[in-house]
Amino acid sequence: MRRPLPDTIAMGYADWGECDAKIMTAAANGVNVIVWFALSMTLDASGVPHIGGGPNLTCVAKTAADLNSQGLPTHHLISIGGWNGAHPDPAASADAWWGALSAYDTAAEAAGLPGGFDGIDWDIEGNDSPSSTSNHFPPEELRLLARISELAKANGKLVAMVPAQSYLDASTSEFALDVLRAPHCGWHDEFKYHGRNAYAAVLALAKPDTFDLVSLQLYESWSQANCMLSSPAHGGQGVGLAAYLDGLVRAMETGWRVDFGLEPALGLPNQTVNVPASRLLLGLGNGWTGQGGCVDEPCKALWVEPEALKTAWAALGSRRARGLFFWDIGDEGLASGVAAEPIYLARTFNEVLGTRGTRGEGAAAGGGAKNEMVELQNQIVS
């Protein structure tokens, strides 16, 4: 039986293949759910599902054991996809794909991670190349994602998704199978990598209560959140942070109409889709968002000052999201063009959410554990 998720969640994404001392520090600082990054789902030459990528499983198991020994209970999810990542091919059945994912999870358990990963996290996104098929979500792929999610849930795994905000956007009823659209907010029309509620179809296709967490990337490039929070002088709407977060959570929970009929091939009727606040996480970027400037104009990826986040969260009423998440742990402590000091969002989240109490001081992970993790990394690299 899987441990239930914490009542309040501070989630951090490891960088591509990352498993290092920064993971331990982020957990001590506030993170209580780690998403390891990222698996690819591809078919081999014979059409057999293959699971590739991801972190070193021995290192993951070591990290999990160290966190437990230091009294830092942490859930571990494994991500699937990522930007420029492969999309699962519907040429193989959901059962076949789940069999491949189960075999990977068995390998994680054999490496020392008790019971394998706590669950999966879908991060199927677009591709830099406009001609890539990854910029399209055909109906059979959306059905496949929904069915694999159901199988994961039926087999005792947690199931999460982490759509870019335009892929699950409560501010529009528009729906499209491609993710090559300009922002619907009316700014930065030159940016053609937004979607129109593709992930809403996965929620509508899957059985009720399949998804334990829905984590919304507010740091998507030129996101709706960025547009609403930026000043009118920079093409935004100038909405206050607390007001925007309150309105967003309410809109997601109440539900919004999605016009699935705009894509008849999907075969879904127009309907209301909703995400309860108890399953919703709001996602921010850390120091990488400010690289290259953006002091006198909005950052391409939304930047929220830690102090502003603390003030806004305290001003929210009882209807808050389940928690917060950030991309990415590898960039914790990165100096930024938008902040004078290095940024540690795990610490900020702990102050906002209280996920680790007074332990979030960076050194709480213990020097010995950090040294062991560095030694393990040296062994893996060599």
Side-chain angles (χ1 to χ4, degrees):
M1 190 72 175
R2 285 286 163 192
R3 293 176 297 131
L5 285 163
D7 290 340
T8 303
I9 293 174
M11 190 166 79
Y13 277 78
D15 202 351
W16 291 88
E18 180 187 9
C19 183
D20 55 22
K22 284 188 172 184
I23 304 288
M24 294 290 296
T25 300
N29 279 344
V31 168
N32 56 9
V33 177
I34 295 170
V35 186
W36 300 89
F37 211 77
L39 299 184
S40 64
M41 297 172 62
T42 57
L43 297 180
D44 66 17
S46 301
V48 176
H50 172 73
I51 305 299
N56 181 283
L57 293 176
T58 302
C59 188
V60 171
K62 169 65 174 169
T63 304
D66 284 347
L67 289 172
N68 285 334
S69 69
Q70 295 185 33
L72 294 168
T74 306
H75 281 72
H76 302 271
L77 305 181
I78 185 67
S79 174
I80 304 169
W83 187 257
N84 287 337
H87 289 210
D89 193 329
S93 69
D95 287 331
W97 278 120
W98 177 246
L101 287 169
S102 295
Y104 177 84
D105 207 46
T106 298
E109 188 166 17
L113 186 64
F117 288 93
D118 292 294
I120 62 172
D121 181 59
W122 293 113
D123 187 21
I124 307 300
E125 298 184 308
N127 189 284
D128 285 332
S129 173
S131 62
S132 171
T133 58
S134 291
N135 291 314
H136 190 71
F137 287 73
E140 57 271 23
E141 180 184 316
L142 295 172
R143 295 189 190 101
L144 180 68
L145 295 178
R147 180 57 185 148
I148 296 172
S149 299
E150 291 172 347
L151 290 171
K153 191 62 175 288
N155 282 274
K157 296 295 182 181
L158 299 169
V159 185
M161 60 164 64
V162 59
Q165 188 175 17
S166 68
Y167 295 13
L168 190 67
D169 189 351
S171 68
T172 180
S173 63
E174 293 181 58
F175 178 76
L177 296 174
D178 71 277
V179 291
L180 291 171
R181 312 274 173 135
H184 78 79
C185 182
W187 76 338
H188 292 282
D189 289 343
E190 79 285 353
F191 186 77
K192 305 293 187 182
Y193 285 99
H194 272 212
R196 292 292 189 272
N197 276 314
Y199 271 63
V202 181
L203 289 176
L205 288 163
K207 293 177 181 178
D209 300 328
T210 294
F211 286 90
D212 298 280
L213 292 177
V214 175
S215 309
L216 202 60
Q217 293 182 33
L218 303 185
Y219 52 83
E220 175 189 26
S221 295
W222 302 123
S223 69
Q224 178 72 10
N226 202 356
C227 176
M228 297 303 293
L229 293 168
S230 295
S231 72
H234 297 128
Q237 300 298 312
V239 177
L241 181 58
Y244 179 71
L245 295 181
D246 180 70
L248 175 61
V249 172
R250 290 175 181 273
M252 297 288 285
E253 183 161 72
T254 301
W256 70 105
R257 173 189 168 94
V258 181
D259 291 338
F260 293 117
L262 293 171
E263 296 280 6
L266 183 61
L268 274 178
N270 299 337
Q271 60 190 273
T272 297
V273 174
N274 78 303
V275 178
S278 61
R279 301 181 188 180
L280 179 65
L281 302 183
L282 303 178
L284 303 175
N286 52 9
W288 62 269
T289 62
Q291 296 302 295
C294 69
V295 174
D296 297 321
E297 61 182 2
C299 297
K300 183 178 181 180
L302 174 67
W303 165 248
V304 174
E305 292 279 356
E307 291 304 318
L309 177 63
K310 295 174 194 176
T311 300
W313 200 266
L316 296 177
S318 59
R319 187 178 296 182
R320 298 174 176 173
R322 178 80 172 265
L324 299 163
F325 75 97
F326 68 92
W327 175 269
D328 64 302
I329 291 173
D331 283 326
E332 282 286 83
L334 184 67
S336 171
V338 293
E341 301 294 333
I343 298 158
Y344 294 89
L345 274 194
R347 293 180 186 173
T348 299
F349 285 6
N350 187 48
E351 292 182 53
V352 171
L353 302 171
T355 45
R356 295 298 192 195
T358 59
R359 297 195 58 153
E361 300 298 332
K370 290 185 180 181
N371 291 337
E372 289 177 10
M373 191 60 60
V374 171
E375 179 60 28
L376 179 58
Q377 283 294 300
N378 291 337
Q379 294 171 12
I380 292 170
V381 172
S382 60

